Amino acid sequence: PEVSERLQSLDPGLQPRPPVGADYRAAFEHVAHQLLGHQFPAHPVFETEIRPAVLRHVWELAQRAAQAPDGRIIVERDRRTEMRQIANPLHLGEMHEDAFILGHHWRHHFQRKAAEGSEAITVRRLRQWTDEPTPAGLTKEVQNLLILVFAEQTSHSFFLHRGPFQPSIDNLPDELELRPQRLPARPDWEEAADRAAKILGLTVSPLPTANGVAHLVAEAKRLAAELRGACGTLLRRLTDRMQKLGIATGSGSANRPRTATAALGFLEVIHASSPDGVVSAMVQAAVETSAEAMGTSIKKAAAVCSALETTKFELLEAVGRLTDDRAPRAEEIRRRVVEALERDELALGLEAVLRQAESDAITLLAPPPAPPVPKPPVQPGPKLRVVEQSSAIGLDRTKAGTVLDGLDRKLGENPERRLSIDWRIEEPETGG
C-alpha cells in the first residue's frame, strides 16, 4: 500500500503525515507529536523536561517579577535558560538576555473568563479556562504555576472552607477559592511584619503579597484569641501583688506592668479588628519598653501567673516585719522581689527570683538551734594505794564465806578503802 495508507485516523479532521525519523523511535515520536498536537493544539512546545523543581524555580522568579514595580527583574545566569525554555512558551513573559519581563496573557484571559459569570473564582474553574478557547492539555503542575502567577498579579489569596490556605506548585486543590485581598502600603506591611515576628513569633515575607497578608491576618487573630486570656490574668495578678507590696505600678521603673499592659492591648486590638483592619491595627498599637519585651511577656504569661499564684507571699510579708538583727537580710530579700516585679520578664525571670526569695525567707524565719548543754566536768578521784592483794580458787561456800567476812572486816577498818573484785563460779561438767 501507499505510505499514506499505512496511517489511518478515526478522526476525520486528522490526516496524519507519514512518519519521519532516522530510526523507529524518532518516527514514533513524530507520529505522537502529530496526534497530541491535533488533540491539544494550544499546547506549548517546551525545549526541556517539565519537572516540579524547575517549575518551582520559574514560580519564584515570576513571583519576584510580579512584586517589581514594572514587572522586570534581572535573572541569575544559571536560571536564564530554564526561564527561556518554560516561561516564554507558556506566555508567562519574555526572558531576554538577562532580564525577565512578566507578561499579562493569562491575567487578561482569566479576568475575561471570570467576567462572563458571577460565580466565585475557584482553582477548578481556572484549570478549565486554561483549555479555552483552544485545548492546551497542560499538566496539573503547569496549571498550578499559571494560577499562582495570576493570583500574585491580581492580589488574590486562596481559601479552603472559609479559612486561608497556603498554596504551592505541588499543592493546589481544585476546591480552593480565590478572593481579592487588599494589600497594605509597603511601609505599613514592613512594620506589621516586624512586629508580628518580635511580638507574636510569626515569620512572614517582608513583601506584601495577597497570600502573605491573608496568612498573617489569620495567624495573628488565632494567636490573639488564644493568648489574650492569659495576658489579662497576668496583668490583674501582677497589679494586685505589686499593690499589696506597696510598689507603684505607674512609676517609671515599673517596666513589667507597662509591658504587660501594652502586650494585652496589642492582642485586644487584633482580636477586635476585622480581617481588613488587622495590619493597620498592629501598626497603630502602642509598643511599650520594646517589641521583644512584649513578645516575652506574652510567651511567658501563663508561667508567670503560675509563679504569682503558688508563691507563699505570707512568708515574705512575715520577713518584712522583722526588726531584730535579721532585718538587713530581710530587706535584701524584699529588694530582690521588688526588682523582679518591676523589671521586664525579658530582663529578669520572675519565677526563679520568687522561688529563691521564698526559700531564703523560710531559712530566715526558722528558729535558731538551741545551744548545746555543757557536760559537768569529771572530777579526778584521790590516788589509791594497794593495802592488800591476794587471790583464791576452788573455794566452797564455807571457805568463800570466810574470805568475804575477812574482806568486809578489812574494809571496815577504814571507810575510804575500796574493793576491786572479779569472780568466777565453777561446777563439774555432767554427762561426759
Side-chain angles (χ1 to χ4, degrees), residues 314-341:
E314 61 271 17
L315 292 174
L316 304 181
E317 294 169 359
V319 164
R321 294 190 291 267
L322 294 175
T323 57
D324 54 16
D325 58 347
R326 295 171 292 173
R329 284 179 290 165
E331 179 58 29
E332 171 61 20
I333 294 174
R334 185 181 188 281
R335 183 196 65 76
R336 285 189 276 121
V337 172
V338 170
E339 180 187 17
L341 288 170

PDB file of all heavy atoms in Angstrom, residues 314-341:
ATOM      1  N   GLU A 314       2.909  35.206 102.122  1.00  0.00           N
ATOM      2  CA  GLU A 314       2.812  35.471 103.562  1.00  0.00           C
ATOM      3  C   GLU A 314       4.170  35.323 104.242  1.00  0.00           C
ATOM      4  O   GLU A 314       4.447  35.998 105.246  1.00  0.00           O
ATOM      5  CB  GLU A 314       1.775  34.548 104.207  1.00  0.00           C
ATOM      6  CG  GLU A 314       2.079  33.065 104.081  1.00  0.00           C
ATOM      7  CD  GLU A 314       1.504  32.433 102.827  1.00  0.00           C
ATOM      8  OE1 GLU A 314       1.155  33.195 101.898  1.00  0.00           O
ATOM      9  OE2 GLU A 314       1.421  31.187 102.771  1.00  0.00           O
ATOM     10  N   LEU A 315       5.020  34.451 103.697  1.00  0.00           N
ATOM     11  CA  LEU A 315       6.383  34.343 104.235  1.00  0.00           C
ATOM     12  C   LEU A 315       7.165  35.626 104.006  1.00  0.00           C
ATOM     13  O   LEU A 315       7.894  36.095 104.895  1.00  0.00           O
ATOM     14  CB  LEU A 315       7.106  33.163 103.576  1.00  0.00           C
ATOM     15  CG  LEU A 315       6.588  31.765 103.907  1.00  0.00           C
ATOM     16  CD1 LEU A 315       7.320  30.734 103.052  1.00  0.00           C
ATOM     17  CD2 LEU A 315       6.789  31.458 105.379  1.00  0.00           C
ATOM     18  N   LEU A 316       7.020  36.188 102.811  1.00  0.00           N
ATOM     19  CA  LEU A 316       7.731  37.427 102.518  1.00  0.00           C
ATOM     20  C   LEU A 316       7.189  38.577 103.351  1.00  0.00           C
ATOM     21  O   LEU A 316       7.952  39.470 103.763  1.00  0.00           O
ATOM     22  CB  LEU A 316       7.602  37.741 101.018  1.00  0.00           C
ATOM     23  CG  LEU A 316       8.073  36.639 100.063  1.00  0.00           C
ATOM     24  CD1 LEU A 316       7.925  37.084  98.614  1.00  0.00           C
ATOM     25  CD2 LEU A 316       9.524  36.265 100.347  1.00  0.00           C
ATOM     26  N   GLU A 317       5.867  38.564 103.617  1.00  0.00           N
ATOM     27  CA  GLU A 317       5.292  39.601 104.474  1.00  0.00           C
ATOM     28  C   GLU A 317       5.812  39.462 105.901  1.00  0.00           C
ATOM     29  O   GLU A 317       6.103  40.465 106.566  1.00  0.00           O
ATOM     30  CB  GLU A 317       3.773  39.506 104.436  1.00  0.00           C
ATOM     31  CG  GLU A 317       3.175  39.839 103.068  1.00  0.00           C
ATOM     32  CD  GLU A 317       1.702  39.481 102.979  1.00  0.00           C
ATOM     33  OE1 GLU A 317       1.175  38.958 103.992  1.00  0.00           O
ATOM     34  OE2 GLU A 317       1.093  39.716 101.924  1.00  0.00           O
ATOM     35  N   ALA A 318       5.932  38.218 106.385  1.00  0.00           N
ATOM     36  CA  ALA A 318       6.461  37.995 107.733  1.00  0.00           C
ATOM     37  C   ALA A 318       7.913  38.438 107.834  1.00  0.00           C
ATOM     38  O   ALA A 318       8.334  39.048 108.840  1.00  0.00           O
ATOM     39  CB  ALA A 318       6.329  36.513 108.101  1.00  0.00           C
ATOM     40  N   VAL A 319       8.688  38.175 106.816  1.00  0.00           N
ATOM     41  CA  VAL A 319      10.086  38.621 106.802  1.00  0.00           C
ATOM     42  C   VAL A 319      10.158  40.136 106.853  1.00  0.00           C
ATOM     43  O   VAL A 319      11.026  40.719 107.518  1.00  0.00           O
ATOM     44  CB  VAL A 319      10.788  38.076 105.531  1.00  0.00           C
ATOM     45  CG1 VAL A 319      12.086  38.821 105.275  1.00  0.00           C
ATOM     46  CG2 VAL A 319      11.074  36.590 105.685  1.00  0.00           C
ATOM     47  N   GLY A 320       9.234  40.800 106.182  1.00  0.00           N
ATOM     48  CA  GLY A 320       9.244  42.259 106.166  1.00  0.00           C
ATOM     49  C   GLY A 320       8.964  42.883 107.518  1.00  0.00           C
ATOM     50  O   GLY A 320       9.247  44.072 107.720  1.00  0.00           O
ATOM     51  N   ARG A 321       8.410  42.118 108.449  1.00  0.00           N
ATOM     52  CA  ARG A 321       8.107  42.656 109.788  1.00  0.00           C
ATOM     53  C   ARG A 321       9.243  42.440 110.783  1.00  0.00           C
ATOM     54  O   ARG A 321       9.135  42.832 111.939  1.00  0.00           O
ATOM     55  CB  ARG A 321       6.826  42.000 110.321  1.00  0.00           C
ATOM     56  CG  ARG A 321       5.575  42.378 109.522  1.00  0.00           C
ATOM     57  CD  ARG A 321       4.302  41.917 110.233  1.00  0.00           C
ATOM     58  NE  ARG A 321       4.181  40.467 110.237  1.00  0.00           N
ATOM     59  CZ  ARG A 321       3.524  39.773 109.304  1.00  0.00           C
ATOM     60  NH1 ARG A 321       2.960  40.402 108.283  1.00  0.00           N
ATOM     61  NH2 ARG A 321       3.438  38.458 109.383  1.00  0.00           N
ATOM     62  N   LEU A 322      10.317  41.807 110.376  1.00  0.00           N
ATOM     63  CA  LEU A 322      11.436  41.561 111.294  1.00  0.00           C
ATOM     64  C   LEU A 322      12.131  42.870 111.650  1.00  0.00           C
ATOM     65  O   LEU A 322      12.360  43.730 110.796  1.00  0.00           O
ATOM     66  CB  LEU A 322      12.436  40.597 110.651  1.00  0.00           C
ATOM     67  CG  LEU A 322      11.942  39.157 110.403  1.00  0.00           C
ATOM     68  CD1 LEU A 322      12.994  38.360 109.661  1.00  0.00           C
ATOM     69  CD2 LEU A 322      11.565  38.477 111.722  1.00  0.00           C
ATOM     70  N   THR A 323      12.467  43.011 112.947  1.00  0.00           N
ATOM     71  CA  THR A 323      13.157  44.234 113.410  1.00  0.00           C
ATOM     72  C   THR A 323      14.449  43.922 114.150  1.00  0.00           C
ATOM     73  O   THR A 323      15.132  44.844 114.603  1.00  0.00           O
ATOM     74  CB  THR A 323      12.228  45.038 114.333  1.00  0.00           C
ATOM     75  OG1 THR A 323      11.814  44.209 115.432  1.00  0.00           O
ATOM     76  CG2 THR A 323      10.997  45.532 113.569  1.00  0.00           C
ATOM     77  N   ASP A 324      14.780  42.640 114.296  1.00  0.00           N
ATOM     78  CA  ASP A 324      15.988  42.286 115.030  1.00  0.00           C
ATOM     79  C   ASP A 324      17.192  42.287 114.089  1.00  0.00           C
ATOM     80  O   ASP A 324      17.168  42.924 113.026  1.00  0.00           O
ATOM     81  CB  ASP A 324      15.818  40.927 115.725  1.00  0.00           C
ATOM     82  CG  ASP A 324      15.383  39.839 114.740  1.00  0.00           C
ATOM     83  OD1 ASP A 324      15.507  40.062 113.509  1.00  0.00           O
ATOM     84  OD2 ASP A 324      14.910  38.767 115.175  1.00  0.00           O
ATOM     85  N   ASP A 325      18.213  41.535 114.444  1.00  0.00           N
ATOM     86  CA  ASP A 325      19.426  41.535 113.633  1.00  0.00           C
ATOM     87  C   ASP A 325      19.225  40.875 112.261  1.00  0.00           C
ATOM     88  O   ASP A 325      20.107  40.923 111.406  1.00  0.00           O
ATOM     89  CB  ASP A 325      20.563  40.829 114.384  1.00  0.00           C
ATOM     90  CG  ASP A 325      20.207  39.386 114.750  1.00  0.00           C
ATOM     91  OD1 ASP A 325      19.007  39.022 114.641  1.00  0.00           O
ATOM     92  OD2 ASP A 325      21.110  38.636 115.137  1.00  0.00           O
ATOM     93  N   ARG A 326      18.059  40.259 112.021  1.00  0.00           N
ATOM     94  CA  ARG A 326      17.766  39.671 110.718  1.00  0.00           C
ATOM     95  C   ARG A 326      17.187  40.684 109.734  1.00  0.00           C
ATOM     96  O   ARG A 326      16.974  40.368 108.558  1.00  0.00           O
ATOM     97  CB  ARG A 326      16.784  38.496 110.887  1.00  0.00           C
ATOM     98  CG  ARG A 326      17.334  37.324 111.671  1.00  0.00           C
ATOM     99  CD  ARG A 326      16.248  36.306 111.977  1.00  0.00           C
ATOM    100  NE  ARG A 326      15.264  36.850 112.914  1.00  0.00           N
ATOM    101  CZ  ARG A 326      14.124  36.232 113.257  1.00  0.00           C
ATOM    102  NH1 ARG A 326      13.839  35.047 112.732  1.00  0.00           N
ATOM    103  NH2 ARG A 326      13.294  36.794 114.115  1.00  0.00           N
ATOM    104  N   ALA A 327      16.903  41.859 110.194  1.00  0.00           N
ATOM    105  CA  ALA A 327      16.246  42.872 109.351  1.00  0.00           C
ATOM    106  C   ALA A 327      17.040  43.206 108.079  1.00  0.00           C
ATOM    107  O   ALA A 327      16.450  43.345 107.002  1.00  0.00           O
ATOM    108  CB  ALA A 327      15.989  44.138 110.168  1.00  0.00           C
ATOM    109  N   PRO A 328      18.366  43.351 108.127  1.00  0.00           N
ATOM    110  CA  PRO A 328      19.091  43.659 106.880  1.00  0.00           C
ATOM    111  C   PRO A 328      18.931  42.560 105.825  1.00  0.00           C
ATOM    112  O   PRO A 328      18.751  42.850 104.642  1.00  0.00           O
ATOM    113  CB  PRO A 328      20.547  43.785 107.341  1.00  0.00           C
ATOM    114  CG  PRO A 328      20.452  44.174 108.779  1.00  0.00           C
ATOM    115  CD  PRO A 328      19.255  43.447 109.306  1.00  0.00           C
ATOM    116  N   ARG A 329      18.976  41.295 106.280  1.00  0.00           N
ATOM    117  CA  ARG A 329      18.793  40.212 105.310  1.00  0.00           C
ATOM    118  C   ARG A 329      17.354  40.182 104.794  1.00  0.00           C
ATOM    119  O   ARG A 329      17.103  39.883 103.617  1.00  0.00           O
ATOM    120  CB  ARG A 329      19.143  38.869 105.960  1.00  0.00           C
ATOM    121  CG  ARG A 329      20.648  38.642 106.111  1.00  0.00           C
ATOM    122  CD  ARG A 329      20.935  37.319 106.767  1.00  0.00           C
ATOM    123  NE  ARG A 329      20.542  37.326 108.177  1.00  0.00           N
ATOM    124  CZ  ARG A 329      20.401  36.243 108.924  1.00  0.00           C
ATOM    125  NH1 ARG A 329      20.606  35.041 108.402  1.00  0.00           N
ATOM    126  NH2 ARG A 329      20.042  36.341 110.200  1.00  0.00           N
ATOM    127  N   ALA A 330      16.406  40.505 105.649  1.00  0.00           N
ATOM    128  CA  ALA A 330      15.010  40.577 105.218  1.00  0.00           C
ATOM    129  C   ALA A 330      14.820  41.671 104.176  1.00  0.00           C
ATOM    130  O   ALA A 330      14.100  41.487 103.175  1.00  0.00           O
ATOM    131  CB  ALA A 330      14.112  40.841 106.426  1.00  0.00           C
ATOM    132  N   GLU A 331      15.455  42.790 104.373  1.00  0.00           N
ATOM    133  CA  GLU A 331      15.345  43.895 103.418  1.00  0.00           C
ATOM    134  C   GLU A 331      15.964  43.523 102.075  1.00  0.00           C
ATOM    135  O   GLU A 331      15.459  43.897 101.012  1.00  0.00           O
ATOM    136  CB  GLU A 331      16.034  45.139 103.977  1.00  0.00           C
ATOM    137  CG  GLU A 331      16.008  46.350 103.062  1.00  0.00           C
ATOM    138  CD  GLU A 331      14.592  46.772 102.680  1.00  0.00           C
ATOM    139  OE1 GLU A 331      13.659  46.544 103.484  1.00  0.00           O
ATOM    140  OE2 GLU A 331      14.434  47.322 101.562  1.00  0.00           O
ATOM    141  N   GLU A 332      17.024  42.724 102.089  1.00  0.00           N
ATOM    142  CA  GLU A 332      17.655  42.280 100.845  1.00  0.00           C
ATOM    143  C   GLU A 332      16.710  41.363 100.061  1.00  0.00           C
ATOM    144  O   GLU A 332      16.616  41.455  98.825  1.00  0.00           O
ATOM    145  CB  GLU A 332      18.954  41.553 101.159  1.00  0.00           C
ATOM    146  CG  GLU A 332      19.604  40.842  99.973  1.00  0.00           C
ATOM    147  CD  GLU A 332      19.989  41.803  98.851  1.00  0.00           C
ATOM    148  OE1 GLU A 332      20.113  43.016  99.105  1.00  0.00           O
ATOM    149  OE2 GLU A 332      20.138  41.316  97.708  1.00  0.00           O
ATOM    150  N   ILE A 333      15.999  40.473 100.775  1.00  0.00           N
ATOM    151  CA  ILE A 333      15.031  39.597 100.106  1.00  0.00           C
ATOM    152  C   ILE A 333      13.934  40.430  99.460  1.00  0.00           C
ATOM    153  O   ILE A 333      13.566  40.217  98.295  1.00  0.00           O
ATOM    154  CB  ILE A 333      14.427  38.598 101.113  1.00  0.00           C
ATOM    155  CG1 ILE A 333      15.510  37.627 101.613  1.00  0.00           C
ATOM    156  CG2 ILE A 333      13.269  37.827 100.491  1.00  0.00           C
ATOM    157  CD1 ILE A 333      15.035  36.705 102.718  1.00  0.00           C
ATOM    158  N   ARG A 334      13.419  41.392 100.197  1.00  0.00           N
ATOM    159  CA  ARG A 334      12.346  42.243  99.650  1.00  0.00           C
ATOM    160  C   ARG A 334      12.843  43.049  98.450  1.00  0.00           C
ATOM    161  O   ARG A 334      12.126  43.204  97.445  1.00  0.00           O
ATOM    162  CB  ARG A 334      11.822  43.187 100.727  1.00  0.00           C
ATOM    163  CG  ARG A 334      10.616  44.008 100.247  1.00  0.00           C
ATOM    164  CD  ARG A 334      10.120  44.965 101.317  1.00  0.00           C
ATOM    165  NE  ARG A 334       8.876  45.587 100.900  1.00  0.00           N
ATOM    166  CZ  ARG A 334       8.771  46.599 100.045  1.00  0.00           C
ATOM    167  NH1 ARG A 334       9.879  47.106  99.495  1.00  0.00           N
ATOM    168  NH2 ARG A 334       7.603  47.096  99.713  1.00  0.00           N
ATOM    169  N   ARG A 335      14.062  43.525  98.509  1.00  0.00           N
ATOM    170  CA  ARG A 335      14.601  44.322  97.411  1.00  0.00           C
ATOM    171  C   ARG A 335      14.661  43.487  96.127  1.00  0.00           C
ATOM    172  O   ARG A 335      14.319  43.975  95.038  1.00  0.00           O
ATOM    173  CB  ARG A 335      16.007  44.825  97.767  1.00  0.00           C
ATOM    174  CG  ARG A 335      16.616  45.738  96.704  1.00  0.00           C
ATOM    175  CD  ARG A 335      18.104  45.885  96.893  1.00  0.00           C
ATOM    176  NE  ARG A 335      18.793  44.618  96.696  1.00  0.00           N
ATOM    177  CZ  ARG A 335      19.020  44.079  95.498  1.00  0.00           C
ATOM    178  NH1 ARG A 335      18.603  44.671  94.387  1.00  0.00           N
ATOM    179  NH2 ARG A 335      19.654  42.910  95.405  1.00  0.00           N
ATOM    180  N   ARG A 336      15.071  42.225  96.251  1.00  0.00           N
ATOM    181  CA  ARG A 336      15.153  41.366  95.065  1.00  0.00           C
ATOM    182  C   ARG A 336      13.772  41.099  94.463  1.00  0.00           C
ATOM    183  O   ARG A 336      13.603  41.072  93.247  1.00  0.00           O
ATOM    184  CB  ARG A 336      15.835  40.041  95.427  1.00  0.00           C
ATOM    185  CG  ARG A 336      17.349  40.181  95.601  1.00  0.00           C
ATOM    186  CD  ARG A 336      18.026  38.832  95.729  1.00  0.00           C
ATOM    187  NE  ARG A 336      17.994  38.338  97.095  1.00  0.00           N
ATOM    188  CZ  ARG A 336      17.438  37.197  97.473  1.00  0.00           C
ATOM    189  NH1 ARG A 336      16.847  36.436  96.569  1.00  0.00           N
ATOM    190  NH2 ARG A 336      17.459  36.805  98.724  1.00  0.00           N
ATOM    191  N   VAL A 337      12.771  40.911  95.330  1.00  0.00           N
ATOM    192  CA  VAL A 337      11.411  40.673  94.847  1.00  0.00           C
ATOM    193  C   VAL A 337      10.865  41.907  94.140  1.00  0.00           C
ATOM    194  O   VAL A 337      10.265  41.823  93.060  1.00  0.00           O
ATOM    195  CB  VAL A 337      10.494  40.246  96.013  1.00  0.00           C
ATOM    196  CG1 VAL A 337       9.039  40.194  95.559  1.00  0.00           C
ATOM    197  CG2 VAL A 337      10.927  38.902  96.567  1.00  0.00           C
ATOM    198  N   VAL A 338      11.077  43.074  94.749  1.00  0.00           N
ATOM    199  CA  VAL A 338      10.597  44.321  94.141  1.00  0.00           C
ATOM    200  C   VAL A 338      11.256  44.537  92.779  1.00  0.00           C
ATOM    201  O   VAL A 338      10.602  44.906  91.794  1.00  0.00           O
ATOM    202  CB  VAL A 338      10.870  45.512  95.083  1.00  0.00           C
ATOM    203  CG1 VAL A 338      10.614  46.836  94.356  1.00  0.00           C
ATOM    204  CG2 VAL A 338      10.000  45.410  96.324  1.00  0.00           C
ATOM    205  N   GLU A 339      12.556  44.298  92.704  1.00  0.00           N
ATOM    206  CA  GLU A 339      13.270  44.486  91.435  1.00  0.00           C
ATOM    207  C   GLU A 339      12.708  43.564  90.354  1.00  0.00           C
ATOM    208  O   GLU A 339      12.501  43.977  89.205  1.00  0.00           O
ATOM    209  CB  GLU A 339      14.761  44.209  91.635  1.00  0.00           C
ATOM    210  CG  GLU A 339      15.574  44.375  90.351  1.00  0.00           C
ATOM    211  CD  GLU A 339      17.019  43.942  90.510  1.00  0.00           C
ATOM    212  OE1 GLU A 339      17.318  43.220  91.485  1.00  0.00           O
ATOM    213  OE2 GLU A 339      17.847  44.322  89.657  1.00  0.00           O
ATOM    214  N   ALA A 340      12.441  42.301  90.715  1.00  0.00           N
ATOM    215  CA  ALA A 340      11.924  41.355  89.725  1.00  0.00           C
ATOM    216  C   ALA A 340      10.518  41.721  89.275  1.00  0.00           C
ATOM    217  O   ALA A 340      10.161  41.539  88.109  1.00  0.00           O
ATOM    218  CB  ALA A 340      11.936  39.941  90.309  1.00  0.00           C
ATOM    219  N   LEU A 341       9.695  42.236  90.181  1.00  0.00           N
ATOM    220  CA  LEU A 341       8.342  42.641  89.812  1.00  0.00           C
ATOM    221  C   LEU A 341       8.347  43.886  88.933  1.00  0.00           C
ATOM    222  O   LEU A 341       7.425  44.096  88.142  1.00  0.00           O
ATOM    223  CB  LEU A 341       7.506  42.892  91.068  1.00  0.00           C
ATOM    224  CG  LEU A 341       7.096  41.635  91.849  1.00  0.00           C
ATOM    225  CD1 LEU A 341       6.499  42.012  93.190  1.00  0.00           C
ATOM    226  CD2 LEU A 341       6.107  40.799  91.047  1.00  0.00           C
TER     227      LEU A 341
END
